[in-house]
Amino acid sequence: MQEENTLPKLRLIENDPWLEPFSAAIEGRHENVVKKEKELTGNGKTTLSDFASGYLYFGLHRTRKGWVFREWAPNAKDIYLVGDFNNWEVRHEYRLKKIKRSAGVWKIELKHDAIHHGDLYKLKVCWEGGEGERIPSYANRVVQDEATKIFSAQVWAPENPYKFHKKVFRAKTNPLMIYECHIGMSQQEEKVGTYNEFREKVLPRVAAAGYNCIQIMAIQEHPYYGSFGYHVSSFFAPSSRFGTPDELKELIDTAHQMGIAVIMDIVHSHAVKNENEGLGNFAGDPNQYFYEGGRREHPAWDSLCFDYGKNEVLHFLLSNCKYWMEEYRFDGFRFDGVTSMLYYSHGLGEAFCNYADYFNGHQDDNAIVYLTLANKLIHELNSKAITIAEEVSGMPGLAAPVEDGGYGFDYRMAMNIPDYWIKTIKERVDEDWKPSSVFWEVTNRRADEKTISYAESHDQALVGDKTIIFRLVDADMYWHFQKGDENYTVHRGIALHKMIRLLTASTINGGYLNFMGNEFGHPEWIDFPREGNGWSHKYARRQWDLVDNKNLCYHYLGDFDSAMVHLLTGVRDIQESPVVEIWHNDGDQILAYQRKDLIFVFNFNPTKSFEGYGFLVKPGAYDVVLNTDAQAFGGNGLSDDSIRHFTNFDPAYKKEKKEWLKLYIPARSAVVLKRVKG
């Protein structure tokens, strides 16, 4: 009897035998994606890119005949354009008409002189039993009145729009080194920074430091500045707090000319509740964009959860991805809150102890389909695009290729690493730092998924938490960071800050991330203007003068970070090379590992230095290329880094073709050596 033909097993399952018991669920999710893509593309007659072109259809557009405006509002009874052009009055000539046989699409066509670039406008939406002014869902420019604090859409159609100088850009991101940043708080002055100021003052710092990618937060318009950009109201409008759309384009264009990729921290996991500014109750239907019932509101974030099961919502969100890539030439996205999207519980109160927790029926298959299609679309638009998932649960396959049964992200955030460092600093005395534990933590990842490693991000810098430098040094930063006035606490903090970063960055299997200012040990937490601090900008800025001042210790950390980044980016595809452990000894607190021709040696021992400590390595000569203990980086300078180290032959290891490399390793230091000849 002939066996039935079966589909080949997805590679995701082949790569991880522990997923075999859940193969039906994994294959089912993959089939859901295939089915939905066929539905959205007419069974392949069009492409996802064709489908995700809503921003070219909806919203306000200038045409040869004048203007055309469209909006999706199936629950509306009447819609009017109101604004500067009609004295904000409801007038018949500005009344939209519902397109026949459409699923609630409204349209109006106007002559050229009916509205003008710079005019403010809104929609007056009427529904059964109510009405209200709304900002169009596809508005590409939203501004706030300084006096009234009211947000309005603004006609943005300049006669001479910005033209990109860099026509084609392909980032050289092997490895990917990300500088996470926030435009508003990027300036020295106590105010909201601008796109232009960032381009002129901060981008040169990023380039000089060696980073090849910036990840910009808070781009999508948000009513409350202190939300850090995570309570989005207008998804297609770059925040006007920082300047104009053209100024954002010039920033991105300039970054590209410097060889720096630009990715956006995109928020599709939820939306702000606001009705006047956002989508919360756009046309009298609170569920137009969002789930019904108990799933509508996020219990922890005070926000609304998109209904990824609606094709119209998929259209809106996928179009949003394409819009930022096509209109502004972003090179990709870091998707925020992916854990919240994946689970009905939003991941709250979940332990995620075993694989069964990922396949217990508590996952939102609609969100999984959306995320997978978003990744397919993004890479359809740009095969070199960068997508990163901020996800804490460890969902298998998140950063595996779609064709293998994964969700298609290029990278996932290694969120275990910063948690580990903070826990270690808080709970363990220096004598209990175990190299075996450290090494396992920074290299513990799925073999078939790339990650973004980081010691800390913006989360650790916010009020209510502490950065690594603050946990290490605390108040002594204010009193003993003057050169020559350092105390033991400062020396310890500076040493460990460098070691933690070097170990985290040098063991990447994808990329590395640093938040703006953390590299030089920025001393203040982030606290946005609010009633509780008198609406002050004092803590919502970056004090660049500290790292520029050569009389202070901050520059030691900044200089070391730059040297580290340049070293790692100077080794092509170092992230793809194996991290080979050479030695660890938890008693001595010594760790050594190799990547390509580089050897990394760490001594976490707080008091013991070791003379002639030996490691079995490939025979040859080795030069020191980076040393955390160098005086240039605030160290003690106990080693002569100009000395070339030669290996010593040992007949016992002749067959293994290894010889002894013997080093002097000062306490609480790390050194990187490069093999220069055999």
Side-chain angles (χ1 to χ4, degrees):
M1 189 175 187
Q2 193 172 11
E3 293 184 8
E4 292 183 12
N5 290 327
T6 58
L7 293 173
K9 186 183 296 183
L10 292 170
R11 191 172 299 172
L12 178 66
I13 303 169
E14 288 184 345
N15 291 343
D16 186 352
W18 291 96
L19 289 174
E20 181 65 42
F22 312 103
S23 58
I26 295 170
E27 290 164 356
R29 291 175 184 180
H30 183 72
E31 289 169 6
N32 286 342
V33 173
V34 173
K35 181 179 178 182
K36 179 58 69 173
E37 183 178 8
K38 287 181 178 179
E39 179 185 344
L40 300 180
T41 61
N43 207 25
K45 293 178 181 177
T46 59
T47 65
L48 273 179
S49 178
D50 295 327
F51 174 77
S53 298
Y55 67 96
L56 298 173
Y57 179 78
F58 289 109
L60 182 65
H61 300 277
R62 187 155 53 186
T63 68
R64 286 184 297 175
K65 295 181 179 179
W67 302 87
V68 62
F69 177 88
R70 300 181 188 89
E71 185 67 63
W72 174 59
N75 200 54
K77 299 299 180 185
D78 253 325
I79 303 179
Y80 297 86
L81 276 178
V82 295
D84 292 338
F85 41 81
N86 60 15
N87 201 31
W88 296 91
E89 296 175 353
V90 172
R91 296 183 183 176
H92 181 75
E93 59 268 31
Y94 289 92
R95 180 173 182 258
L96 279 68
K97 293 182 179 179
K98 195 171 185 179
I99 299 177
K100 293 181 179 179
R101 293 184 294 278
S102 73
V105 178
W106 298 72
K107 176 183 176 182
I108 186 172
E109 294 184 80
L110 298 165
K111 294 181 179 179
H112 282 292
D113 59 357
I115 52 178
H116 308 88
H117 171 67
D119 283 348
L120 301 181
Y121 72 102
K122 288 186 179 182
L123 299 177
K124 182 63 175 288
V125 184
C126 306
W127 58 85
E128 192 70 42
E131 61 180 36
E133 289 189 349
R134 298 289 186 263
I135 293 175
S137 60
Y138 281 82
N140 60 5
R141 169 79 167 161
V142 175
V143 296
Q144 185 179 26
D145 185 275
E146 291 187 9
T148 65
K149 304 302 180 184
I150 293 174
F151 286 87
S152 301
Q154 185 177 43
V155 179
W156 191 257
E159 290 296 329
N160 298 301
Y162 184 82
K163 294 182 180 179
F164 286 86
H165 294 86
K166 191 76 173 177
K167 301 299 182 184
V168 178
F169 174 73
R170 291 291 182 267
K172 294 180 180 179
T173 53
N174 298 314
L176 177 64
M177 306 299 276
I178 303 173
Y179 199 80
E180 184 185 27
C181 50
H182 183 286
I183 301 297
M185 58 167 289
S186 64
Q187 299 306 309
Q188 176 84 32
E189 296 77 19
E190 295 183 23
K191 65 182 185 67
V192 178
T194 67
Y195 298 123
N196 283 343
E197 289 170 329
F198 187 93
R199 172 176 53 81
E200 294 168 357
K201 299 178 181 179
V202 182
L203 265 182
R205 292 182 181 272
V206 178
Y211 289 89
N212 52 32
C213 179
I214 57 174
Q215 176 180 302
I216 310 181
M217 307 173 66
I219 289 295
Q220 295 165 294
E221 191 59 85
H222 45 291
Y224 179 47
Y225 185 46
S227 75
F228 230 151
Y230 290 122
H231 275 192
V232 175
S233 53
S234 295
F235 287 78
F236 290 82
S239 181
S240 60
R241 287 183 182 87
F242 314 135
T244 69
D246 283 14
E247 289 165 351
L248 173 58
K249 291 176 181 179
E250 187 177 7
L251 186 165
I252 295 170
D253 194 21
T254 303
H256 286 169
Q257 292 174 64
M258 292 180 172
I260 298 172
V262 186
I263 61 177
M264 173 178 161
D265 195 345
I266 199 167
V267 184
H268 283 177
S269 49
H270 62 137
V272 73
K273 279 185 175 180
N274 301 36
E275 296 184 1
N276 292 335
E277 294 87 6
L279 305 173
N281 186 24
F282 193 79
D285 178 6
N287 306 118
Q288 180 177 333
Y289 286 93
F290 308 105
Y291 278 125
E292 297 181 1
R295 296 183 61 194
R296 182 173 184 268
E297 296 191 15
H298 196 294
W301 295 348
D302 191 33
S303 55
L304 303 178
C305 303
F306 283 107
D307 183 349
Y308 307 102
K310 286 184 178 179
N311 286 354
E312 294 88 350
V313 174
L314 293 181
H315 186 233
F316 180 80
L317 295 176
L318 290 173
S319 295
N320 194 236
C321 295
K322 182 179 177 181
Y323 168 78
W324 291 110
M325 294 181 71
E326 295 288 288
E327 185 69 19
Y328 288 88
R329 305 202 180 177
F330 277 97
D331 300 294
F333 305 96
R334 178 261 201 189
F335 278 75
D336 176 69
V338 171
T339 305
S340 177
M341 299 170 69
L342 292 178
Y343 303 94
Y344 295 144
S345 66
H346 306 294
L348 301 174
E350 302 273 4
F352 301 111
C353 296
N354 55 65
Y355 277 14
D357 293 337
Y358 305 120
F359 306 101
N360 58 10
H362 299 167
Q363 293 73 38
D364 187 344
D365 288 342
N366 295 330
I368 291 171
V369 167
Y370 165 66
L371 289 169
T372 310
L373 290 179
N375 277 297
K376 288 201 71 174
L377 166 70
I378 291 163
H379 293 98
E380 180 180 311
L381 295 169
N382 177 3
S383 62
K384 301 296 184 181
I386 301 162
T387 60
I388 305 169
E390 189 246 0
E391 205 281 317
V392 71
S393 78
M395 171 69 78
L398 200 65
V402 176
E403 59 270 22
D404 293 352
Y407 301 169
F409 284 98
D410 296 299
Y411 308 89
R412 64 190 309 155
M413 300 293 290
M415 301 183 75
N416 60 301
I417 296 177
D419 290 343
Y420 174 82
W421 284 127
I422 292 297
K423 185 178 177 64
T424 299
I425 295 169
K426 285 172 63 177
E427 300 178 4
R428 295 180 184 172
V429 296
D430 292 4
E431 289 78 5
D432 288 340
W433 287 35
K434 305 299 183 186
S436 59
S437 172
V438 173
F439 187 72
W440 186 87
E441 198 68 42
V442 296
T443 57
N444 176 30
R445 54 219 175 193
R446 297 182 62 80
D448 55 350
E449 298 189 43
K450 293 186 291 186
T451 60
I452 300 295
S453 299
Y454 59 114
E456 54 185 340
S457 71
H458 65 266
D459 291 329
Q460 286 74 38
L462 290 167
V463 166
D465 207 337
K466 285 187 178 182
T467 60
I468 284 177
I469 198 66
F470 236 146
R471 289 198 181 276
L472 291 169
V473 182
D474 212 80
D476 283 332
M477 292 196 71
Y478 299 112
W479 308 110
H480 296 284
F481 245 55
Q482 185 87 18
K483 281 186 180 178
D485 190 38
E486 306 96 326
N487 59 13
Y488 171 81
T489 301
V490 168
H491 280 301
R492 170 183 178 268
I494 288 175
L496 289 176
H497 192 273
K498 292 177 289 185
M499 294 176 71
I500 287 169
R501 277 171 152 66
L502 178 60
L503 208 159
T504 303
S506 62
T507 52
I508 58 174
N509 76 328
Y512 173 74
L513 177 141
N514 165 71
F515 178 68
M516 174 178 64
N518 283 3
E519 74 278 8
F520 66 83
H522 198 282
E524 303 287 9
W525 58 82
I526 300 165
D527 188 14
F528 280 96
R530 55 185 173 84
E531 188 175 359
N533 65 16
W535 302 102
S536 169
H537 287 81
K538 182 178 181 180
Y539 299 111
R541 63 190 180 107
R542 297 283 90 175
Q543 299 178 59
W544 301 108
D545 60 327
L546 297 176
V547 71
D548 292 340
N549 188 339
K550 300 303 180 183
N551 293 317
L552 300 177
C553 294
Y554 297 98
H555 87 85
Y556 288 143
L557 301 178
D559 292 347
F560 174 79
D561 189 79
S562 179
M564 176 188 76
V565 171
H566 278 100
L567 173 65
L568 297 176
T569 54
V571 182
R572 183 172 177 80
D573 293 327
I574 188 173
Q575 79 286 354
E576 295 182 3
S577 64
V579 184
V580 181
E581 184 178 10
I582 296 171
W583 175 258
H584 81 259
N585 184 306
D586 286 346
D588 294 340
Q589 295 183 274
I590 296 288
L591 171 68
Y593 54 87
Q594 182 175 353
R595 300 200 85 165
K596 291 195 171 182
D597 287 334
L598 295 181
I599 292 177
F600 301 82
V601 180
F602 291 79
N603 179 7
F604 281 101
N605 199 301
T607 57
K608 291 183 180 179
S609 299
F610 297 92
E611 178 70 46
Y613 207 102
F615 305 97
L616 285 168
V617 299
K618 191 174 182 179
Y622 291 81
D623 287 343
V624 173
V625 291
L626 187 65
N627 191 342
T628 66
D629 194 50
Q631 289 182 328
F633 304 135
N636 296 311
L638 297 177
S639 300
D640 184 352
D641 292 339
S642 65
I643 293 176
R644 176 164 288 181
H645 299 269
F646 294 90
T647 56
N648 300 317
F649 175 73
D650 186 335
Y653 297 97
K654 183 178 180 180
K655 288 184 178 181
E656 295 181 30
K657 296 182 179 179
K658 289 185 178 181
E659 295 182 355
W660 289 102
L661 176 66
K662 296 192 175 182
L663 304 171
Y664 171 61
I665 318 170
R668 201 180 274 140
S669 72
V671 64
V672 186
L673 302 102
K674 183 177 182 180
R675 185 174 182 273
V676 289
K677 62 181 179 181

